[in-house]
């Protein structure tokens, strides 16, 4: 907009103002009226954010990690999830399937980066603090698993008093009693739980709520109640006699193995199931010296267990018999059991847990074994709640705010959802805590809900919005594994974490979708000099922007868009 000032070495002819200019500057020529659309800077959610069970601000915390500010990165992570080190080990990472980078070369290794940042926090002893100003309201939480602990954390952050009741001797729920140490180190589990309790959560372990009357007393003694009892009732196979000593439920088997009190079973073990719990039972049995066969209804590619779990199990010597069902068991006495099986065509249904089976004619076969572990899933036991709670398909019914049909009573985790993943439970705990806080604020002040954040009002950033020219192809960080022979000798974690150089290199691969990285491309490439940097942000000079869209095309993070102007 202004001509270049001649330097001593510049030719006066080349640098002189054109004779047609009367102002000596183009600032007086306001060309903004020429456009039909205006370039606008936005903060928009990345696809990984949309897929994340806790709605984490992934691009933001990865950007802070890329800048080596690991503590700030951890703090952003912990807005939504107090267990990044745990999640970085066991999350089913749907964020990676949604990652825009997957359409360019390979998805970002978000889960491993989360583990790295979480491990930094544990190593450095970083801690949480409760809200400095206590709020009026006392919430009871029943269930000390991932959902209950997540709710306790979020409520303490907001300043509410929390008392947590847990039936087991220790907190953790599924994370402690259902997931083996070779997947989740007990030091990591204890460290991240202790950090939440240290915020001022009152904890009562070995505390069983005595049925409907007990829950009613909790509702009367507290301002709100959150139920996170999990799913503890084992599903049963009609072809199995569960009264026999050679049959064991998967949850019982895992809990005993994780407490170093393994169930005494024979040498040859058949584990029935295709989910993560079945894989955990099978792999735990291998570490206890059993010969293990895994019998799954699904074909290998259809199994609900994560792909890497199946690969690691096969590396450890587990035999997989997929696409088959158990028809019956013959007890042959001293020679063991004969499991009669049939090959089946497995077709998954519209919802998790729904499927149809078609037996394949003439495909019967037998498996020899000494014992059977049945690990085909669990359902919540809603009978302990008594009357007064609406149910839906075997689950406790809740509305969009996770409120049950009982007054001031909320619920989440496995007792309300078939999405049986730890991070899904953490996400419901967070959302329930927010809903409980809204109710308590309304009671205290009569305040209504605030408007939705602008961040969530923008659509997810597509790959087409990213200028990939600025992102060279780079190989995804590979998961390092403990040698298979070493795994069976101890409970050391199988999957190893990233070191600092690996984590930084992986963070560089992030497109930072929808989050500005202050690269100045919009300033540099604007042909009209209509974008100006102001502090850590930018403004578009509407007097001069012609709406050409060059700045949007050159944005490497998709944090600019064109908005139509109707006149």
């Amino acid at each position: 907009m202004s001509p270049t000032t001649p330097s001593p070495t510049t030719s006066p002819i080349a640098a002189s103002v054109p004779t047609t200019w009367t102002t000596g500057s183009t600032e007086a020529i306001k060309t903004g009226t020429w456009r039909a659309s205006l370039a606008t800077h936005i903060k928009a959610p990345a696809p990984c954010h949309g897929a994340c069970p806790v709605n984490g601000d992934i691009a933001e915390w990865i950007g802070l990690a890329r800048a080596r500010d690991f503590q700030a990165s951890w703090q952003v992570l912990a807005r939504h999830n107090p267990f990044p080190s745990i999640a970085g080990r066991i999350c089913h990472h749907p964020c990676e399937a949604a990652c825009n980078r997957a359409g360019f070369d390979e998805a970002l290794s978000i889960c491993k980066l989360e583990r790295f940042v979480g491990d930094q926090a544990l190593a450095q002893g970083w801690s949480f603090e409760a809200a400095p100003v206590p709020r009026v309201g006392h919430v009871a939480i029943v269930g000390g698993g991932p959902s209950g602990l997540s709710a306790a954390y979020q409520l303490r952050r907001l300043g509410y008093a929390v008392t947590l009741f847990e039936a087991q001797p220790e907190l953790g729920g599924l994370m402690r009693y259902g997931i083996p140490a070779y997947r989740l180190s007990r030091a990591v589990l204890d460290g991240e739980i202790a950090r939440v309790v240290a915020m001022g959560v009152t904890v009562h372990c070995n505390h069983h709520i005595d049925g409907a009357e007990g829950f009613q007393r909790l509702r009367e003694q507290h301002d709100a109640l959150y139920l996170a009892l999990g799913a503890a009732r084992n599903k049963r196979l009609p072809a199995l006699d569960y009264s026999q000593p050679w049959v064991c439920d998967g949850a019982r088997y895992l809990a005993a193995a994780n407490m170093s009190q393994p169930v005494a079973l024979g040498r040859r073990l058949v584990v029935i199931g295709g989910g993560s719990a079945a894989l955990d039972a099978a792999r735990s049995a291998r570490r206890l010296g059993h010969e293990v066969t895994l019998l799954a209804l699904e074909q290998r590619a259809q199994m609900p267990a994560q792909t890497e779990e199946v690969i690691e199990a096969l590396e450890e010597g587990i035999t997989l018999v997929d696409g088959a069902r158990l028809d019956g068991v013959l007890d042959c006495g001293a020679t063991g059991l004969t499991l009669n099986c049939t090959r089946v065509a497995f077709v998954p249904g519209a919802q998790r847990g729904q499927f149809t089976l078609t037996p394949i004619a003439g495909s019967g076969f037998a498996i020899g074994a000494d014992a059977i572990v049945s690990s085909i899933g669990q359902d919540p036991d809603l009978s302990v709640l008594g009357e007064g709670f609406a149910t839906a398909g075997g689950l406790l019914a809740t509305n969009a705010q996770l409120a049950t049909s009982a007054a001031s009573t909320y619920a989440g985790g496995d007792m309300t959802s078939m999405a049986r993943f730890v991070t899904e439970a953490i996400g419901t705990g967070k959302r329930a805590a927010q809903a409980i806080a809204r109710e308590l604020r309304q009671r205290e002040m009569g305040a209504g809900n605030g408007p939705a954040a602008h961040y969530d009002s923008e659509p997810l950033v597509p790959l087409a919005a990213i200028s990939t020219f600025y992102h060279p192809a780079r190989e995804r960080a590979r998961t390092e594994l403990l040698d298979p022979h070493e795994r069976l000798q101890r409970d050391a974690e199988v999957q190893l974490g990233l070191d600092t150089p690996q984590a930084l290199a992986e963070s560089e691969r992030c497109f930072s979708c929808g989050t500005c990285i202050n690269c100045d491309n919009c300033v540099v490439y604007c042909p009209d000099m209509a974008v100006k940097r102001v502090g850590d942000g930018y403004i578009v000079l509407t007097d001069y922007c012609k709406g050409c869209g060059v700045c949007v095309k050159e944005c490497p993070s998709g944090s600019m868009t064109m908005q139509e102007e109707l006149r």
Side-chain angles (χ1 to χ4, degrees):
M1 283 175 280
S2 298
T4 304
T5 301
S7 67
T9 57
T10 303
S11 166
I13 298 175
S16 62
V17 177
T19 56
T20 55
W21 286 12
T22 57
T23 62
S25 167
T26 62
E27 290 182 352
I29 307 173
K30 297 181 177 181
T31 56
T33 56
W34 299 5
R35 66 175 178 266
S37 57
L38 176 68
T40 304
H41 291 84
I42 59 170
K43 182 172 176 60
C48 55
H49 168 86
C52 176
V54 302
N55 295 121
D57 299 322
I58 296 172
E60 184 177 352
W61 68 256
I62 289 180
L64 290 165
R66 185 166 55 243
R68 291 178 172 265
D69 193 345
F70 300 129
Q71 186 168 15
S73 177
W74 171 72
Q75 289 168 341
V76 172
L77 259 169
R79 287 177 193 160
H80 306 280
N81 176 14
F83 308 119
S85 202
I86 293 172
R89 287 164 165 80
I90 62 175
C91 183
H92 58 302
H93 45 76
C95 55
E96 295 185 14
C99 177
N100 273 330
R101 185 107 199 183
F104 178 64
D105 47 21
E106 295 179 281
L108 199 68
S109 188
I110 299 169
C111 209
K112 293 295 181 288
L113 281 174
E114 183 171 10
R115 171 177 172 168
F116 172 82
V117 174
D119 286 356
Q120 293 292 311
L122 288 172
Q124 300 299 325
W126 298 331
S127 60
F128 301 134
E129 293 183 3
V133 179
R135 300 191 69 101
V136 175
H138 190 171
V139 182
I141 297 175
V142 183
S147 191
L149 286 167
S150 172
Y153 162 74
Q154 296 291 350
L155 287 164
R156 287 300 296 137
R157 285 183 71 208
L158 296 170
Y160 295 100
V162 176
T163 299
L164 195 156
F165 301 91
E166 167 56 46
Q168 296 288 349
E170 295 183 82
L171 296 174
L174 173 72
M175 298 185 295
R176 183 178 303 279
Y177 297 100
I179 297 178
Y182 65 80
R183 286 184 61 207
L184 175 57
S185 159
R186 291 305 178 255
V188 168
L189 177 64
D190 292 340
E192 294 208 311
I193 291 176
R195 199 161 47 200
V196 172
V197 175
M199 297 174 72
V201 179
T202 301
V203 176
H204 298 287
C205 286
N206 286 313
H207 191 107
H208 292 264
I209 307 300
D210 54 348
E213 292 183 359
F215 288 105
Q216 179 61 32
R217 281 196 301 272
L218 286 181
R219 287 201 298 270
E220 293 170 352
Q221 295 167 358
H222 298 83
D223 297 292
L225 173 63
Y226 181 59
L227 303 176
L229 280 67
R233 190 178 65 194
N234 294 292
K235 292 182 177 180
R236 297 291 177 94
L237 284 166
L240 273 182
D241 180 357
Y242 285 81
S243 67
Q244 296 295 332
W246 37 262
V247 177
C248 184
D249 279 315
R252 175 182 165 230
Y253 183 84
L254 274 173
N258 290 342
M259 294 296 103
S260 300
Q261 300 171 346
V263 179
L265 297 171
R267 177 175 57 87
R268 298 172 300 162
L269 201 63
V270 172
V271 177
I272 300 177
S276 290
L279 266 293
D280 285 341
R283 296 175 70 187
S284 295
R286 280 293 293 139
R287 283 157 175 76
L288 292 170
H290 294 280
E291 295 177 11
V292 182
T293 298
L294 184 69
L295 181 66
L297 283 176
E298 307 90 348
Q299 291 292 329
R300 176 174 167 179
Q302 299 172 312
M303 291 169 62
Q306 296 182 48
T307 302
E308 55 262 38
E309 295 179 77
V310 179
I311 294 172
E312 290 165 15
L314 295 175
E315 291 174 345
E316 292 163 10
I318 291 169
T319 300
L320 173 62
V321 179
D322 58 345
R325 75 177 183 194
L326 176 68
D327 292 328
V329 181
L330 179 64
D331 187 347
C332 302
T335 59
L337 310 172
T338 298
L339 281 66
N340 294 312
C341 307
T342 301
R343 298 284 179 184
V344 295
F346 177 93
V347 179
Q351 297 180 359
R352 182 179 172 89
Q354 295 179 345
F355 56 86
T356 56
L357 295 179
T358 304
I360 298 173
S363 65
F365 64 99
I367 301 174
D370 297 312
I372 299 169
V373 173
S374 172
S375 186
I376 60 170
Q378 296 171 270
D379 293 317
D381 182 6
L382 303 182
S383 64
V384 299
L385 300 176
E387 302 295 328
F389 288 92
T391 61
L395 301 173
L396 186 59
T398 59
N399 64 15
Q401 285 72 47
L402 297 173
T404 70
S405 57
S408 300
T409 302
Y410 297 76
D414 289 354
M415 70 185 306
T416 65
S417 170
M418 288 300 294
R420 301 294 169 79
F421 299 104
V422 167
T423 46
E424 294 282 357
I426 292 170
T428 59
K430 182 194 82 167
R431 292 190 290 277
Q434 293 169 340
I436 290 169
R438 282 194 296 271
E439 179 183 331
L440 297 181
R441 284 197 301 270
Q442 288 168 1
R443 270 195 241 163
E444 180 186 0
M445 305 172 60
N449 296 335
H454 175 68
Y455 180 84
D456 292 323
S457 68
E458 294 287 345
L460 299 179
V461 176
L463 177 59
I466 306 295
S467 179
T468 56
F469 172 82
Y470 299 99
H471 300 281
R474 293 179 178 175
E475 186 178 1
R476 170 185 163 101
R478 298 301 168 197
T479 300
E480 299 293 332
L481 303 175
L482 198 65
D483 182 84
H485 297 292
E486 292 186 57
R487 298 177 201 171
L488 302 184
Q489 307 304 317
R490 50 200 174 108
D491 276 339
E493 290 185 319
V494 172
Q495 295 190 7
L496 309 179
L498 304 177
D499 59 25
T500 300
Q502 289 173 321
L504 290 172
E506 189 64 12
S507 70
E508 291 286 346
R509 298 182 66 241
C510 180
F511 285 163
S512 193
C513 303
T515 298
C516 180
I517 59 173
N518 300 115
C519 67
D520 285 349
N521 272 13
C522 53
V523 175
V524 172
Y525 287 103
C526 178
D528 298 301
M529 295 185 287
V531 184
K532 181 180 179 181
R533 183 162 185 168
V534 180
D536 290 333
Y538 301 90
I539 59 172
V540 175
L541 305 176
T542 56
D543 281 343
Y544 305 102
C545 174
K546 298 188 184 71
C548 67
V550 170
C551 56
V552 174
K553 290 292 185 183
E554 295 296 332
C555 181
S557 63
S559 53
M560 290 194 76
T561 188
M562 299 300 296
Q563 294 184 348
E564 184 181 9
E565 288 191 313
L566 300 177
R567 306 187 187 187

